Amino acid sequence: VPPERWDLFHEMLLTDELSRAGSGGLVWNLLGGFGIGCPPLVKFGKKELVDRLLPGILAGDKRICLAITEPDAGSDVANLGCEAKLTPDGKHYIVNGEKKWIGNGSMGGITVVWARSDEDGAVHGFVVPQESEGYTGTTMKAKLALRAIHQAEITLENVFVPTENVLPHAKSFRD
């Protein structure tokens, strides 16, 4: 299926076929990061960013994941501690914080990190290559019987993210 024609119907067919293996862990390993990390990028990313990253993700050359959950906030987006500060020149955000229980979080791909911006106080998605300086992903022992999925704890220390890699905040999703 050409990428421009891929939709929820195709995802459901793929998930149904993979589920025949009888392993939720297998399905999460193969589709979990892709299934929740890719949609925000495709739906809200700038065209140039999507055009640059999506072919490698769809070809399987890069993994993608979504990083919301934190050690102290869980998945409560309103209380995220991860923060992003705009640089004085306005070209980058510097992201700092921790994420935990992130599927594919240290597999050499791309992480969509949700963090609070100092610029407007809103939560935004920051598309971060895992090879970025200051990004550390440490493999965790799997929890909740999902032993087939790779889980990671992520530490972000002064990770520079170009402004073109920023997804809009949640309020923008309704617009």
Side-chain angles (χ1 to χ4, degrees):
V1 176
E4 62 275 4
R5 291 193 52 222
W6 185 270
D7 60 16
L8 185 59
F9 174 75
H10 296 100
E11 184 176 336
M12 296 304 289
L13 283 176
L14 181 63
T15 303
D16 185 60
E17 289 299 316
L18 287 172
S19 296
R20 293 174 190 271
S23 168
L26 172 68
V27 174
W28 264 101
N29 183 317
L30 297 174
L31 298 177
F34 175 81
I36 63 176
C38 211
L41 170 66
V42 172
K43 185 161 181 151
F44 304 111
K46 293 180 178 126
K47 182 178 179 353
E48 298 80 23
L49 181 66
V50 174
D51 289 347
R52 181 168 42 95
L53 298 177
L54 191 58
I57 295 166
L58 293 178
D61 298 330
K62 286 278 187 185
R63 295 276 189 138
I64 188 167
C65 65
L66 184 71
I68 294 175
T69 310
E70 295 184 353
D72 295 329
S75 296
D76 180 2
V77 178
N79 288 309
L80 292 181
C82 193
E83 59 185 14
K85 295 185 178 186
L86 190 63
T87 57
D89 65 8
K91 294 182 179 180
H92 294 85
Y93 280 90
I94 302 172
V95 181
N96 285 286
E98 294 181 29
K99 302 292 182 177
K100 197 166 185 178
W101 304 289
I102 308 303
N104 297 341
S106 63
M107 297 195 62
I110 299 158
T111 302
V112 179
V113 176
W114 291 91
R116 188 166 311 282
S117 163
D118 71 329
E119 185 182 25
D120 59 9
V123 174
H124 298 267
F126 295 85
V127 180
V128 180
Q130 292 177 6
E131 65 270 8
S132 297
E133 187 173 338
Y135 182 106
T136 305
T138 306
T139 301
M140 299 174 63
K141 185 175 178 181
K143 306 289 183 205
L144 300 173
L146 292 176
R147 300 204 189 290
I149 186 170
H150 174 273
Q151 293 183 332
E153 184 169 11
I154 298 169
T155 302
L156 301 124
E157 293 183 67
N158 297 322
V159 176
F160 279 73
V161 179
T163 54
E164 57 267 13
N165 284 25
V166 178
L167 305 179
H169 59 83
K171 182 179 177 200
S172 299
F173 291 178
R174 294 188 295 263
D175 296 340

